[in-house]
Amino acid sequence: MGKSSKLCLNVLWGLVFVPSLPTALFANDAQLTVRSERPLQAESEAAALEPFETPISGFFIRNHHDVPVVDPEKHVIRIQGLVENPISLTIADLSALPQKSFYAVLECSGNKRSFQLPAAGGIQWEQGAAGNAEWTGVALRELLEKAKPQKNARFITVRGADKPALPSTPEFIRSIPIEKAYEPDSLLALKMNREPLPLLHGGPVRLVLPRWYGQNWIKWVTEINLTAEEDQGFYMKKAYRMPKKQLKVGEEWNSETGNPIQELLVQSLIVAPRSEERVAVGNYEVKGKAFSGFGTVVQVELSWDQGKTWHPARLSSVNPKGGWQEFDLVIPVKKKGLFRLLSRAKDSQGNIQPLKHNWNPSGYLRNAVDGVSFMAVEPKIAEGYSIYKNRCLMCHSEGLILSQPLKEIGWKKLIGKMKSFGAQITETEEPFLLAFLNSIKPRAKEVEQRVSYETESRKYRIDANGTTKDTRNLYELNCRSCHGVNGEGKIGPRLRGRLIPKYQFLTTVSQGKNSMPAFGEQLKQQEIEWIWAFLQRPED
């Protein structure tokens, strides 16, 4: 499903099935990639992460059950349990109370999970399960003071209106230490970016807990129960917990013995250049965001030599209203070819992003240095790539365009045909677009040969250094029959000339994808890395 698709949301409310919600719930201009339609999970696209304030239309969506049907005029929030004065509040009641507004970063604890290797189950988020919004609502401490918690109340246990599909499926309930609930900026939020809180983001009312991970920000709040103990349900006792000590890769553990996930780890996100961007040789301004749940960010550094040397970026001052901090740095792009850019942030408590992520079974809390790969090209090609993204990809998938076995004359004819169909490409833009398209390496022809793996493997000897010859041999042995002599695509997709993230390549080759088998048992990780390096090498 594309980002411009109007999404039909199937919803369960108790035992009543509601066929669909209005398609207007999912904005026509949404900058989102849908990871799951039921329950709805959608990730922010790169463009949505560029502004300081993440637009609602591009703010990621994370649900555990179907989106509930909620009538704001009839919605009631009950504060009960270990309190002297149980209270019930409508949205009108909350709206009449003093409001406060500030920016806060919401990040899913599984953000960047797709980059973990070996892979973990769960939603395969890239870096778009995070966003920065202005939240407006009522301080939770004011409401708790009205309810008067008893001395033995140690947690607020919060439930929302979303219900599981089956009676046997656990409800999504979280318990928050009462100390966190009493912090001045813990809110029951009614607005997001100055608009009434949208249903897909927990409207009409959700919990906002700045500096904590998103699973604690309960949506569609209906009950706040003061309790002496944590909730004993699945989502509190087993899910969203981390091992107390580092596990070995693949090691089993009992999640009930772990610590609940709370504060945001220090994090950075590179938003420009984007992954697979074509950047003109010369000076380029890198931009990004950084945040931490343990303090303000005091330093962001960039590296373009695999972390050997680091260069301090310019860091914006802390916004008086909160939220993430922005950073930028003009870097020299001296020659054409593949570049890998890294960023790492440090907070006021001395926490710094590690170079490598510590593996865990659920792929939680990935805060290793951020990285993006881009291709440095001639300025004319870079301009053409920008036109290609803004004009061609409005109607066509990237695979359809880049798989065309065309040379310059063929691309000229194709551009002419698209213009006759209404593509908005000016005469000034056409030479730049042609330069980019013509830079795509056309397919090579080959006669298919079928041989057994055992027979072919005897021809090759792979040494520890992984020479160019070795990497080509590995590619030809394992990939050629499906992906072509030079990775130009055949039965499988084109691999050459694409900037494929290393972690994504390792995971896909190891575990398989769609009709492609898994190679994890016959190829070592080092050998898969050699194949990736062979495909990502500069043009011959």
Side-chain angles (χ1 to χ4, degrees):
M1 179 174 291
K3 67 179 181 180
S4 61
S5 301
K6 290 188 175 182
L7 191 63
C8 179
L9 303 176
N10 292 325
V11 178
L12 285 171
W13 177 254
L15 298 177
V16 181
F17 180 71
V18 183
S20 67
L21 290 172
T23 55
L25 284 175
F26 209 69
N28 287 331
D29 62 346
Q31 297 172 314
L32 293 167
T33 298
V34 176
R35 298 294 179 200
S36 165
E37 293 185 29
R38 187 179 184 198
L40 177 61
Q41 325 288 356
E43 178 168 350
S44 299
E45 294 184 350
L49 299 177
E50 291 182 1
F52 174 77
E53 179 181 282
T54 310
I56 293 175
S57 62
F59 206 102
F60 85 97
I61 299 168
R62 171 69 169 106
N63 296 318
H64 292 81
H65 303 306
D66 289 309
V67 177
V69 176
V70 179
D71 184 346
E73 295 186 359
K74 297 179 180 179
H75 192 75
V76 175
I77 302 95
R78 295 179 173 85
I79 302 177
Q80 54 195 16
L82 298 177
V83 296
E84 301 294 339
N85 181 35
I87 57 177
S88 297
L89 298 157
T90 65
I91 300 302
D93 293 331
L94 290 175
S95 300
L97 295 173
Q99 307 287 303
K100 61 191 313 181
S101 298
F102 51 79
Y103 283 95
V105 175
L106 173 61
E107 183 184 26
C108 177
S109 55
N111 195 27
K112 301 186 180 182
R113 177 184 285 125
S114 66
F115 303 129
Q116 175 168 292
L117 187 73
I123 306 163
Q124 296 303 299
W125 301 114
E126 294 183 2
Q127 70 167 15
N132 184 43
E134 184 182 34
W135 309 95
T136 302
V138 180
L140 187 55
R141 66 188 301 173
E142 294 186 18
L143 303 177
L144 294 177
E145 287 170 355
K146 293 178 183 293
K148 298 180 180 179
Q150 296 174 8
K151 290 183 179 180
N152 58 338
R154 298 175 54 239
F155 298 91
I156 61 166
T157 296
V158 189
R159 173 186 272 111
D162 51 331
K163 302 297 178 185
L166 300 173
S168 57
T169 302
E171 288 190 68
F172 185 68
I173 300 172
R174 294 290 295 173
S175 293
I176 312 298
I178 198 167
E179 294 82 7
K180 180 65 178 178
Y182 267 94
E183 289 184 2
D185 51 2
S186 294
L187 291 186
L188 281 183
L190 302 174
K191 292 184 178 181
M192 179 181 183
N193 292 350
R194 299 160 302 284
E195 297 183 16
L197 189 62
L199 179 63
L200 295 183
H201 294 284
V205 57
R206 80 174 298 166
L207 195 60
V208 167
L209 299 174
R211 299 174 298 282
W212 276 33
Y213 281 100
Q215 76 276 0
N216 300 296
W217 296 36
I218 296 292
K219 300 161 80 170
W220 312 292
V221 175
T222 58
E223 292 180 13
I224 299 175
N225 288 291
L226 278 291
T227 58
E229 304 292 337
E230 288 181 348
D231 186 71
Q232 298 300 301
F234 172 83
Y235 286 106
M236 198 66 224
K237 298 304 292 184
K238 292 189 176 183
Y240 297 110
R241 302 185 86 89
M242 283 289 287
K244 293 180 180 179
K245 65 176 184 178
Q246 179 57 42
L247 302 178
K248 297 178 181 178
V249 173
E251 182 180 349
E252 297 290 333
W253 76 299
N254 179 3
S255 61
E256 292 187 35
T257 65
N259 294 320
I261 292 173
Q262 297 177 342
E263 289 90 354
L264 294 171
L265 298 185
V266 62
Q267 184 73 278
S268 65
L269 308 173
I270 298 172
V271 300
R274 301 178 190 174
S275 179
E276 302 188 18
E277 190 87 17
R278 267 62 168 184
V279 170
V281 172
N283 290 331
Y284 182 83
E285 185 178 22
V286 178
K287 297 181 180 180
K289 318 293 182 187
F291 53 90
S292 174
F294 291 89
T296 58
V297 174
V298 296
Q299 183 183 61
V300 175
E301 297 174 300
L302 300 178
S303 174
W304 46 91
D305 60 4
Q306 297 298 316
K308 296 176 183 176
T309 57
W310 292 89
H311 307 266
R314 187 186 69 87
L315 184 64
S316 69
S317 57
V318 179
N319 189 303
K321 295 186 68 176
W324 56 26
Q325 292 168 256
E326 298 179 298
F327 64 86
D328 59 75
L329 180 67
V330 176
I331 68 170
V333 182
K334 296 181 179 180
K335 61 181 181 179
K336 295 186 291 183
L338 177 67
F339 278 77
R340 179 70 174 168
L341 184 65
L342 305 177
S343 68
R344 68 179 181 188
K346 179 180 179 181
D347 68 24
S348 54
Q349 296 299 310
N351 301 303
I352 189 168
Q353 289 180 265
L355 284 174
K356 293 185 178 180
H357 169 67
N358 287 328
W359 181 90
N360 65 83
S362 298
Y364 289 142
L365 309 190
R366 184 182 179 86
N367 80 316
V369 294
D370 196 34
V372 62
S373 295
F374 66 93
M375 185 69 77
V377 296
E378 298 173 5
K380 189 174 184 178
I381 294 175
E383 180 66 25
Y385 179 69
S386 178
I387 296 167
Y388 156 78
K389 289 193 302 179
N390 294 323
R391 302 286 194 276
C392 305
L393 298 187
M394 289 179 63
C395 300
H396 300 289
S397 69
E398 192 164 33
L400 175 64
I401 298 171
L402 299 186
S403 64
Q404 300 298 314
L406 300 177
K407 295 186 178 181
E408 185 170 358
I409 185 78
W411 287 120
K412 281 184 177 179
K413 290 181 179 179
L414 185 60
I415 291 172
K417 183 173 77 171
M418 293 301 101
K419 289 174 69 175
S420 71
F421 289 171
Q424 300 298 308
I425 301 170
T426 67
E427 295 299 322
T428 303
E429 293 173 333
E430 187 170 334
F432 295 98
L433 177 59
L434 181 61
F436 165 68
L437 294 173
N438 203 44
S439 71
I440 301 168
K441 191 172 183 179
R443 293 187 181 196
K445 300 292 184 180
E446 72 159 326
V447 177
E448 183 177 358
Q449 298 180 350
R450 294 185 179 275
V451 294
S452 71
Y453 185 90
E454 289 75 18
T455 300
E456 283 291 286
S457 64
R458 297 191 189 102
K459 299 179 182 179
Y460 304 113
R461 177 177 176 274
I462 308 301
D463 64 27
N465 296 319
T467 65
T468 301
K469 181 179 178 181
D470 293 331
T471 58
R472 177 178 285 280
N473 289 345
L474 272 172
Y475 171 81
E476 291 184 351
L477 176 61
N478 296 282
C479 312
R480 171 176 171 165
S481 62
C482 289
H483 297 283
V485 178
N486 295 305
E488 70 279 356
K490 188 180 175 186
I491 301 170
R494 180 178 62 84
L495 299 177
R496 189 76 171 104
R498 289 174 56 198
L499 295 173
I500 305 173
K502 187 175 182 180
Y503 287 112
Q504 178 183 326
F505 186 83
L506 291 172
T507 301
T508 301
V509 174
S510 296
Q511 301 186 8
K513 184 176 182 180
N514 299 329
S515 60
M516 190 189 87
F519 285 81
E521 293 186 0
Q522 65 194 54
L523 288 175
K524 299 176 182 178
Q525 179 172 324
Q526 179 66 69
E527 292 173 329
I528 299 174
E529 290 180 355
W530 286 342
I531 295 174
W532 175 84
F534 171 73
L535 292 168
Q536 299 297 300
R537 73 193 188 283
E539 293 294 330
D540 299 326

